[in-house]
Every structure is written in C-alpha cells, then in structure tokens.
C-alpha cells in the first residue's frame, strides 16, 4: 500500500512539474514582445552608458552631465542628419515612384512583341481587377496600417524611455536584480552582468563600424557604376546590416530590381558590386571587428533569427544577434564554468570513476 501511495505521489509531482513548465513556456511566448522591448531598452541603455563613460573619462564631467551631453548630441546628430539627407532621399524616392510606372509601360511594350508575352500580359491585366480590393477592405487595411504605425511609435517611445531611465542610474537596477540571488552568489552574478555589458558594448561598437563601412562602400560602388538612387540604396544597406545573414539579402533586392529597370547589364553590375562588398564584409571585416567579442556561430545565429522572426517578426530579427551574444555569455559563464567545469563536480566525477574502477577490479 505504501509503495502505491509513493508511486502516486511521484506521478502527481511529475504532472505538476510538467504543467508548471508548460505554463511558464506559454507565459514566456505571450510575453515575448514585452521581453524583447525590455532587452531593446537595455541595449539602448548600454549605448548611452558606454558613451557617457567615454565622455566622463575624457572631459571629467559627472555621470549625469555626461549622459545629458551624450543624449543632446545624439538626438542633435540624428535631427541634423535628417535635415541634410532627407531632401536627397526624398527626391530619390520620388524618382523611384516616377520611374516604376514608366518601366512597367516599357515592359508591357516588350511583352507585346512576342506571343507568349501577350498572353502573360493578358492574364496579368485580367487579374488586376480581382486584385483591387473593395472600399470596405481598403478602409480595413488603412485602419490596420494606422494601428500598426501607432504600435511601432509606442514601442519606440517605450524603448527610448526605458533606455534613458536605465542609463541614468544603472546601479539601482543592477543591485535590485542581484538581490534576487543568494548572498554567496551575488559577486558571481555581478561578474556575469559585467561580462554581458562588455559584450553588448563591444558588439554595438563593432556593428556600428561595420554598418558605416558597408553603407559607405555600397554608396561608392553604386555611384561608380552609375546606379540611380545610390544614396537611398546605401541607406538601406546601412540599416539592414544590423541584421546579420538575413539583412544583407533583403537590402540587396531593391538595387538589383532598380538595375533591371535600367538594363540587364546594370543589374549584373549591381549584383557583382554588392556581392563583392558583402563577401569582403563577411570574410574580412566581420572577423576583424568582432575578434574581441563573442563569436556567433553562423548556423546557430541563423536558426535563432528564424525562430525569433517566426515568433515576433521584425523585432525578433532585429534583436536576435545581440540577444544570442548575451545568451552565449550566460551559458558559458553560468552553465559551463559554474556547473560543468566546477572543481568540486570534477572531483566528484573522478571519485566516481575511481570507485567504479575499483569495484570492477575487485
């Protein structure tokens, strides 16, 4: 009877643990967007904090004054860059809007010259009417677009405010987090957090340098071959370079399509220039820039990007690389060093091996 009671208790405990883990996993999935926003705020706080520390070390100002100077300078640079670049980009966007209808008319003229092209054009024009949505569908799409835009603006404000608050007094939040752990482990938690901060700081600076080099070389290369809208394409390459693996592929599609509007030879030149730049970036620049930070295995990074992209879309893709860098630091320090490679666990394993050997020999 006692054995049956013990067995039932074990089954109940196992079922409780299973449902607890399932509930935690479900809660984590539901809160993924919120957690990613928090991590984006932490990433922004690391940027502000590292810049403030640099200003404080160079000039000798206090932390609060240095953070104020950094914040004003960053937003001033963004606004100034917007005033300088926005007119040119706006003109190039308008040019693209004007060139696409003309390119479509030229394509239709070429299709009409062949029998199969005439059939393709006929099918496309017949299907165009079906593709035009009704007024209710148009209103619904406009409403959804407005809601999405408002959601993006709200998320940006949340990330910005969170980053500024964390950067203003990082010790307050760090100490509060460390107090959640036992006293004997708090120093080790401080060490791991410090390593995570250093990793994110070095990753941010390395990524910014890589983005600048890619954007500059793309603009120079496209300007040399005479591609229109070179500055706009360079800006796309600059921003999408923040997303390793997938970002360069996405940024490479518009210039190739733009080259096709000119001629197949121009598209081939664009593809060649862009492939050379991305090859140099992937095999030369990235290893040199990130040699002092966590080395992210390409296959693991791609898997992590796809996973977060499926779960959270663009936000997941955007934050996959820095989040994976932090995860690898935590796994290396907490699990591998503190658990698997801990001296007492090694001794226990050795004692177990010697006991087993002695038993076998006896």
């Amino acid at each position: 009877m006692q054995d049956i009671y013990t067995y039932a208790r074990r089954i109940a405990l196992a079922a409780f643990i299973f449902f607890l883990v399932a509930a935690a996993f479900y809660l984590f999935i539901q809160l993924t967007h919120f957690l990613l926003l928090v991590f984006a705020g932490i990433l922004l706080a690391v940027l502000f904090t590292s810049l403030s520390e640099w200003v404080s070390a160079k000039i000798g100002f206090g932390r609060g004054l240095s953070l104020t100077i950094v914040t004003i300078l960053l937003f001033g640079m963004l606004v100034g860059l917007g005033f300088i670049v926005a007119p040119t980009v706006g003109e190039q966007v308008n040019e693209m809007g004007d060139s696409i209808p003309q390119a479509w008319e030229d394509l239709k003229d070429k299709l009409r010259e062949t029998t199969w092209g005439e059939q393709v054009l006929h099918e496309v024009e017949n299907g165009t009417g079906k593709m035009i949505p009704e007024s209710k569908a148009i209103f619904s799409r406009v409403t959804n677009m407005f809601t999405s835009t408002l959601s993006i603006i709200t998320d940006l404000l949340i990330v910005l405010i969170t980053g500024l608050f964390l950067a203003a007094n990082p010790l307050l939040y760090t100490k509060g987090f460390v107090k959640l752990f036992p006293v004997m482990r708090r120093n080790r938690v401080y060490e791991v957090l410090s390593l995570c901060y250093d990793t994110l700081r070095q990753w941010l600076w390395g990524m910014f340098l890589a983005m600048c080099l890619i954007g500059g070389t793309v603009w120079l290369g496209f300007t040399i071959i005479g591609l229109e809208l070179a500055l706009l394409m360079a800006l796309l390459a600059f921003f999408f370079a923040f997303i390793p693996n997938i970002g360069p592929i996405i940024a490479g599609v518009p210039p190739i399509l733009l080259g096709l509007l000119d001629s197949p030879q121009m598209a081939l030149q664009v593809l060649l220039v862009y492939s050379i730049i991305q090859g140099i970036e992937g095999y030369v620049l990235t290893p040199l820039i990130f040699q002092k930070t966590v080395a992210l295995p390409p296959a693991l990074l791609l898997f992590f990007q796809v996973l977060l992209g499926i779960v959270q879309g663009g936000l997941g893709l955007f934050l996959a690389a820095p989040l994976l860098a932090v995860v690898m630091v935590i796994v290396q320090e907490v699990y591998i060093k503190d658990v698997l490679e801990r001296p007492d666990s090694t001794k226990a394993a050795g004692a177990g091996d010697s006991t087993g050997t002695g038993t076998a020999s006896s």
Side-chain angles (χ1 to χ4, degrees), residues 19-81:
F19 284 112
L20 186 64
V21 171
F25 182 76
Y26 175 78
L27 186 62
F28 175 79
I29 294 298
Q30 295 298 316
L31 296 177
T32 302
H33 185 76
F34 168 75
L35 295 176
L36 287 178
L37 288 180
V38 171
F39 180 75
I42 294 173
L43 196 63
L44 186 62
V46 170
L47 175 63
F48 281 124
T49 303
S50 59
L51 288 174
S52 302
E53 291 176 350
W54 183 83
V55 171
S56 179
K58 294 296 182 181
I59 304 178
F61 290 160
R63 180 178 187 83
L65 183 58
S66 299
L67 179 61
T68 304
I69 294 174
V70 166
T71 305
I72 294 174
L73 287 177
L74 281 179
F75 283 102
M77 289 174 59
L78 290 176
V79 173
L81 185 63

Side-chain angles (χ1 to χ4, degrees), residues 16-190:
F16 175 75
I17 293 175
F18 172 79
F19 284 112
L20 186 64
V21 171
F25 182 76
Y26 175 78
L27 186 62
F28 175 79
I29 294 298
Q30 295 298 316
L31 296 177
T32 302
H33 185 76
F34 168 75
L35 295 176
L36 287 178
L37 288 180
V38 171
F39 180 75
I42 294 173
L43 196 63
L44 186 62
V46 170
L47 175 63
F48 281 124
T49 303
S50 59
L51 288 174
S52 302
E53 291 176 350
W54 183 83
V55 171
S56 179
K58 294 296 182 181
I59 304 178
F61 290 160
R63 180 178 187 83
L65 183 58
S66 299
L67 179 61
T68 304
I69 294 174
V70 166
T71 305
I72 294 174
L73 287 177
L74 281 179
F75 283 102
M77 289 174 59
L78 290 176
V79 173
L81 185 63
F83 277 111
I84 295 173
V85 178
T88 304
V89 174
E91 293 177 1
Q92 294 191 358
V93 171
N94 292 331
E95 290 178 10
M96 179 181 289
D98 295 336
S99 62
I100 288 178
Q102 183 61 41
W104 171 242
E105 293 298 329
D106 295 340
L107 180 60
K108 288 197 295 185
D109 293 337
K110 293 180 180 179
L111 289 175
R112 290 191 181 100
E113 296 176 358
T114 60
T115 305
W116 65 269
E118 186 70 28
Q119 294 177 355
V120 171
L121 185 60
H122 180 71
E123 293 294 333
V124 171
E125 290 178 346
N126 288 339
T128 304
K130 299 178 181 179
M131 295 173 60
I132 299 176
E134 299 179 355
S135 57
K136 292 182 179 180
I138 294 176
F139 178 77
S140 177
R141 291 183 182 181
V142 171
T143 304
N144 293 335
M145 184 181 300
F146 175 77
T147 304
S148 300
T149 304
L150 184 62
S151 176
I152 292 173
I153 294 175
T154 304
D155 290 347
L156 289 175
L157 289 176
I158 291 174
V159 171
L160 178 61
I161 294 173
T162 302
L164 288 175
F165 274 121
L166 291 175
N169 193 359
L171 288 179
L172 174 66
Y173 304 99
T174 303
K175 290 181 179 179
F177 178 76
V178 171
K179 286 182 179 179
L180 299 176
F181 296 87
V183 177
M184 60 182 298
R185 303 296 299 172
R186 289 178 182 175
N187 288 335
R188 179 56 178 160
V189 174
Y190 273 119

Side-chain angles (χ1 to χ4, degrees), residues 92-93 96 99-100 103 218 222 225 227-240 246-263 266-271 274 278:
Q92 294 191 358
V93 171
M96 179 181 289
S99 62
I100 288 178
V218 166
F222 287 170
I225 65 175
L227 179 69
E228 296 182 358
L229 315 180
L231 179 59
L232 181 60
M233 298 300 103
L235 287 176
L236 286 177
F238 171 82
F239 287 111
F240 277 103
I246 301 176
I249 298 176
I250 299 175
V253 174
I256 295 175
L257 294 178
L258 190 62
L260 281 174
L261 297 179
D262 188 326
S263 65
M266 177 58 72
L268 184 61
Q269 291 179 17
V270 170
L271 178 61
Y274 194 76
Q278 291 299 328

Side-chain angles (χ1 to χ4, degrees), residues 179-235:
K179 286 182 179 179
L180 299 176
F181 296 87
V183 177
M184 60 182 298
R185 303 296 299 172
R186 289 178 182 175
N187 288 335
R188 179 56 178 160
V189 174
Y190 273 119
E191 293 178 2
V192 175
L193 290 178
S194 179
L195 288 173
C196 291
Y197 169 76
D198 291 337
T199 299
L200 287 179
R201 176 175 56 83
Q202 294 172 3
W203 187 89
L204 279 173
W205 285 113
M207 181 56 65
F208 178 73
L209 179 59
M211 291 168 64
C212 291
L213 292 174
I214 291 173
T217 52
V218 166
W219 174 78
L220 181 62
F222 287 170
T223 302
I224 291 175
I225 65 175
L227 179 69
E228 296 182 358
L229 315 180
L231 179 59
L232 181 60
M233 298 300 103
L235 287 176

